[in-house]
Amino acid sequence: MESFSSWVAGSGQVILPLLGACIVLLAWALARRGSMRKYAGRIALDAALLAVGLVAYILTYGFPSMSFAGVDAETVPRLWAGLLVALAMARLIRVFRGKDSPDPASGRLDKVFLLIALLVLKIVGITFVGYYISAGVFVFVCGLLLGYRNLPGLALVAGGWVAFSYFVFYRLLSVPLPTGLLLAAVLGR
Amino acid sequence: MQGLIGLLKAAGSLMSLQPLLLITAGIIVGILAGAMPGVSPSMGVALMVPFTYAMDPSLALIYLAAIYLAANYGGSITAVTINTPGTPSAVVTAFDGYPLARKGRAGEALGVSLVASFVGGAIGIIVLMLFSAPLAKAALKFWPAEYFSLAVMGLSSIASMGGQNALKSAISAVLGLLICTIGMDPILGVRRFTFGNVHLFDGFEFIPVLIGLLALSEVFVEVEKFDFRAESVGDSAKAKWPSFVYYWKLRMSMLRASVIGTIVGIFPGAGATIATFISYDMEKRFSSTPEEFGQGMPEGVAAAEASNSASVGGALVPMLTLGIPGSATAAVLMGALMIHNLQPGPELFTKSPELIHKLFASLLIGNVIMLILGLGGSRLWIKVTKVKKQILFPLIFAFAMIGSYAVNSSMWDVGVCLGFGVIGWLLKRYGYSLPPLVLGMVLGGMAEVNLRRATMMFGPTAIFQRSGSVILLLISALSFAIPVLQARRAKTKART
């Protein structure tokens, strides 16, 4: 048991979440091929919830064993994780019995994923080019992505946002908005 | 008597430029947020929290509470004028408000919704003032076992939050509870689920998570729909506003709905939407012409709006006295209070009574300001609906990002906000309700700490050893079971 605990506390921290992700991918792939194709999204999501519960439950065995007056740190997380496993299983059973509605029709998923990618780029961009440039570019590109074609208007909104965030957040609220590695190097800060 | 003196003192202290300006700003922001479809009251409050970081805690609370108060009214403007409720709780207002507007009586519908909001809001606030202090006194006698059971009672409200799908709501809530255990254990200091990441030692920061779950997820849902056609408001909004006599005739509808709204609002998780449906249904039963409901009955608008606004005061009662938010917006408000090192609960009444008095007084003043602004600016509010979503959404993203960053000046929090935005979108996409998740995260800490304290004091059966705790657990079981059974019965009826 002790060796299991030390494994969970060590390499298990990486392997277990990866294993959970594999279970989700496998469930999704199998569902898409078989007769449950219409429910593939639901199955993947419920499998993900099940995996979260299972992984969390196992990870509690890696907590340092400490107890005070009969109470330890793993009881409550284990309780919630166990409950999540049970409830996610109940959901999966419902889906496999066909008692649930099929997956919702997909809308413009491409736009959503592009938007998420844009947001990730913005977060990365802040580190390099700073908040002001990346925020201005983000508002402009995001508007374009959503189909707004009035470019001068969009540029005005982006510029307005940058000015607003500078005056309200930086000057008024004293939030130290990042200047970025690039700008810091140029300005010699 | 002491409370009244405190209230009068607080009202006096608010009669200066800064607090009045803040209340007015909060009311304007709230009305605009409520009027914008896709921006819920909870989202409006969450987005404004970063602006309060540098404020005095009492001013921050006053500002955010004003937004909450006004957002519920704001939702009715678009419900009446373009049949697009700005908030979920304004859905019922649209039932009769929009038909009235189509008949060229939009001024009448807007007037009734404003005055009913004012009356409902005032009654809700009075109930909050009358009952919160005695409730807080009673709560001070609670032991950890009772507090744990209280948290369970709060969680039991997920049954009504999730509508017909209690299982999904339960999963959402348990996920919230599990997320709450990430970070340092509150009693022994053991690191849990931190994966060696220092950012996780204190768990997730509440505000970025909330902004991600409530604001970003909603925008992702809208982007997936990709329907950005603007709805236009016709000239009907210019129609004449009713007289005092007209409102007087609706007094009983407003009163009944206000009482229902306040009571329903007090129950954690029940919220404004349920309150409006119950009040509307009740009004229909009282009416001599129930068949005309849905075709433009002012009583329908009055009932929906009065209960909607009254639920605000009601929802603040459990939040302030017991530390249990009565609605998703109250949960956000509670998170904001925690950021300012104020722990809602009975101790708030003993440690910071002046803060409570200021809040009560500001709500009363805010309600009057809302009435004045509503009368003067109705045509202006409607223009909010003309803001193109292609402009609105990038700004919401920008707000969300800077708001999350401003909590700790940390890019980690921005990533957390985005991560929870994606999780929220996926959950919403497959019919999982997000308010139970928020509730789980809000109540998780309270439930765990008190369960463990109770167990340390009286052993594993601690929560069944005190009568107060057992009563609360029984109420929790009932409040979970009743909506589930009702939903099942409705389903069976629909099938037959």
Side-chain angles (χ1 to χ4, degrees):
Chain A
M1 193 63 191
E2 208 167 291
S3 61
F4 177 68
S5 293
S6 51
W7 178 80
V8 171
S11 49
Q13 302 256 322
V14 180
I15 295 170
L16 285 168
L18 281 176
L19 209 65
C22 289
I23 292 172
V24 178
L25 281 175
L26 195 72
W28 182 71
L30 287 174
R32 274 186 72 85
R33 281 187 178 185
S35 58
M36 300 301 287
R37 195 183 165 79
K38 284 190 293 185
Y39 300 93
R42 280 187 200 285
I43 290 172
L45 183 65
D46 292 332
L49 290 165
L50 179 70
V52 167
L54 274 173
V55 170
Y57 194 90
I58 300 171
L59 282 176
T60 59
Y61 286 96
F63 293 167
S65 52
M66 255 194 198
S67 181
F68 178 70
V71 176
D72 47 34
E74 58 262 34
T75 311
V76 173
R78 218 172 263 175
L79 177 70
W80 302 144
L83 251 175
L84 186 61
V85 169
L87 293 170
M89 290 272 272
R91 276 280 318 146
L92 277 170
I93 291 168
R94 265 184 74 87
V95 176
F96 278 109
R97 280 186 176 173
K99 282 188 174 176
D100 214 342
S101 50
D103 287 351
S106 294
R108 295 297 302 270
L109 286 177
D110 56 330
K111 293 282 181 187
V112 178
F113 290 132
L114 272 172
L115 206 52
I116 293 169
L118 190 64
L119 283 162
V120 173
L121 269 178
K122 183 192 172 184
I123 294 172
V124 176
I126 289 174
T127 318
F128 293 101
V129 294
Y131 173 79
Y132 300 104
I133 296 173
S134 56
V137 171
F138 170 79
V139 172
F140 190 84
V141 178
C142 188
L144 279 180
L145 188 77
L146 297 177
Y148 195 69
R149 290 290 170 259
N150 178 358
L151 297 187
L154 207 49
L156 205 69
V157 173
W161 171 258
V162 172
F164 171 81
S165 43
Y166 173 76
F167 285 110
V168 175
F169 282 90
Y170 186 71
R171 300 298 293 246
L172 193 71
L173 300 174
S174 308
V175 176
L177 296 170
T179 40
L181 296 172
L182 204 70
L183 221 62
V186 171
L187 296 173
R189 283 184 195 171
Chain B
M1 193 62 194
Q2 211 175 358
L4 189 67
I5 294 168
L7 188 71
L8 287 172
K9 264 188 190 169
S13 72
L14 292 176
M15 287 300 164
S16 56
L17 189 66
Q18 198 191 16
L20 282 178
L21 271 178
L22 264 180
I23 296 172
T24 311
I27 296 290
I28 293 173
V29 170
I31 292 175
L32 296 178
M36 278 188 248
V39 181
S40 59
S42 50
M43 186 170 166
V45 175
L47 285 173
M48 286 298 127
V49 170
F51 286 97
T52 68
Y53 293 152
M55 283 183 199
D56 175 73
S58 62
L59 291 177
L61 179 61
I62 286 165
Y63 175 61
L64 296 173
I67 298 174
Y68 182 20
L69 183 74
N72 275 33
Y73 157 67
S76 72
I77 296 172
T78 40
V80 168
T81 51
I82 55 174
N83 202 22
T84 308
T87 56
S89 56
V91 170
V92 181
T93 310
F95 290 173
D96 282 281
Y98 186 61
L100 271 173
R102 288 193 70 183
K103 287 176 186 170
R105 293 160 66 191
E108 213 175 301
L110 284 171
V112 171
S113 84
L114 176 65
V115 173
S117 285
F118 170 75
V119 172
I123 290 174
I125 296 160
I126 290 166
V127 169
L128 174 70
M129 291 191 310
L130 289 177
F131 292 102
S132 47
L135 248 172
K137 266 186 193 163
L140 275 174
K141 289 174 186 155
F142 278 17
W143 285 55
E146 277 91 348
Y147 272 112
F148 168 74
S149 304
L150 208 57
V152 174
M153 197 172 103
L155 286 168
S156 68
S157 62
I158 55 166
S160 52
M161 267 186 179
Q164 295 211 329
N165 210 326
L167 182 58
K168 281 183 182 171
S169 295
I171 290 179
S172 270
V174 173
L175 188 64
L177 290 167
L178 189 60
I179 291 170
C180 215
T181 61
I182 295 172
M184 208 83 88
D185 156 43
I187 289 179
L188 297 170
V190 171
R191 283 180 211 148
R192 305 184 298 191
F193 309 121
T194 57
F195 301 96
N197 185 341
V198 283
H199 295 293
L200 287 175
F201 284 4
D202 282 332
F204 287 114
E205 193 65 52
F206 198 52
I207 290 298
V209 173
L210 274 184
I211 294 177
L213 281 175
L214 299 172
L216 292 197
S217 69
E218 185 63 44
V219 179
F220 287 142
V221 169
E222 290 284 332
V223 170
E224 194 189 343
K225 283 185 206 157
F226 215 73
D227 181 9
F228 301 141
R229 279 170 297 180
E231 305 232 20
S232 64
V233 183
D235 287 341
S236 58
K238 291 175 188 163
K240 224 178 141 186
W241 282 53
S243 63
F244 178 76
V245 181
Y246 183 91
Y247 296 129
W248 184 249
K249 282 180 190 164
L250 297 169
R251 65 189 183 284
M252 288 316 289
S253 306
M254 292 184 200
L255 274 175
R256 274 193 293 266
S258 301
V259 173
I260 294 171
T262 312
I263 294 169
V264 175
I266 289 174
F267 288 99
T273 314
I274 297 169
T276 53
F277 274 99
I278 296 173
S279 302
Y280 186 80
D281 184 55
M282 181 79 88
E283 211 43 50
K284 214 169 160 182
R285 286 168 201 263
F286 270 98
S287 173
S288 53
T289 53
E291 69 285 353
E292 285 179 30
F293 272 72
Q295 292 166 29
M297 283 287 278
E299 285 84 353
V301 180
E305 271 313 295
S307 62
N308 186 7
S309 292
S311 71
V312 173
L316 290 177
V317 172
M319 187 201 95
L320 289 173
T321 57
L322 307 169
I324 296 175
S327 68
T329 320
V332 181
L333 209 58
M334 197 168 145
L337 282 175
M338 287 167 167
I339 284 178
H340 286 280
N341 290 325
L342 296 166
Q343 182 62 49
E347 285 192 355
L348 195 65
F349 282 77
T350 49
K351 280 184 182 167
S352 327
E354 66 292 339
L355 181 95
I356 298 289
H357 288 136
K358 270 188 182 173
L359 173 70
F360 293 164
S362 77
L363 284 170
L364 281 174
I365 296 168
N367 208 30
V368 177
I369 292 176
M370 188 180 81
L371 183 71
I372 297 165
L373 286 176
L375 286 169
S378 61
R379 282 173 196 92
L380 188 71
W381 310 139
I382 293 162
K383 288 192 175 165
V384 173
T385 59
K386 290 180 179 169
V387 177
K388 286 198 161 70
K389 284 182 182 172
Q390 290 113 312
I391 292 291
L392 185 65
F393 289 165
L395 291 178
I396 288 179
F397 279 125
F399 245 119
M401 297 278 127
I402 202 169
S404 304
Y405 176 81
V407 180
N408 288 323
S409 302
S410 157
M411 287 307 291
W412 165 262
D413 287 335
V414 180
V416 167
C417 173
L418 176 59
F420 274 91
V422 175
I423 292 170
W425 167 60
L426 285 171
L427 289 172
K428 259 188 173 180
R429 205 169 179 271
Y430 292 98
Y432 284 87
S433 173
L434 296 182
L437 203 157
V438 174
L439 197 69
M441 289 185 71
V442 167
L443 295 178
M446 179 181 169
E448 175 173 5
V449 169
N450 288 295
L451 176 66
R452 289 171 65 181
R453 277 186 192 151
T455 311
M456 281 193 282
M457 288 163 84
F458 302 110
T461 55
I463 53 168
F464 302 109
Q465 287 178 23
R466 289 182 60 85
S467 54
S469 168
V470 174
I471 291 168
L472 287 170
L473 285 175
L474 281 173
I475 295 172
S476 315
L478 281 176
S479 67
F480 184 83
I482 291 169
V484 174
L485 291 175
Q486 276 177 339
R488 278 201 172 176
R489 205 176 293 167
K491 254 187 190 175
T492 330
K493 253 189 187 177
R495 268 184 214 151
T496 54

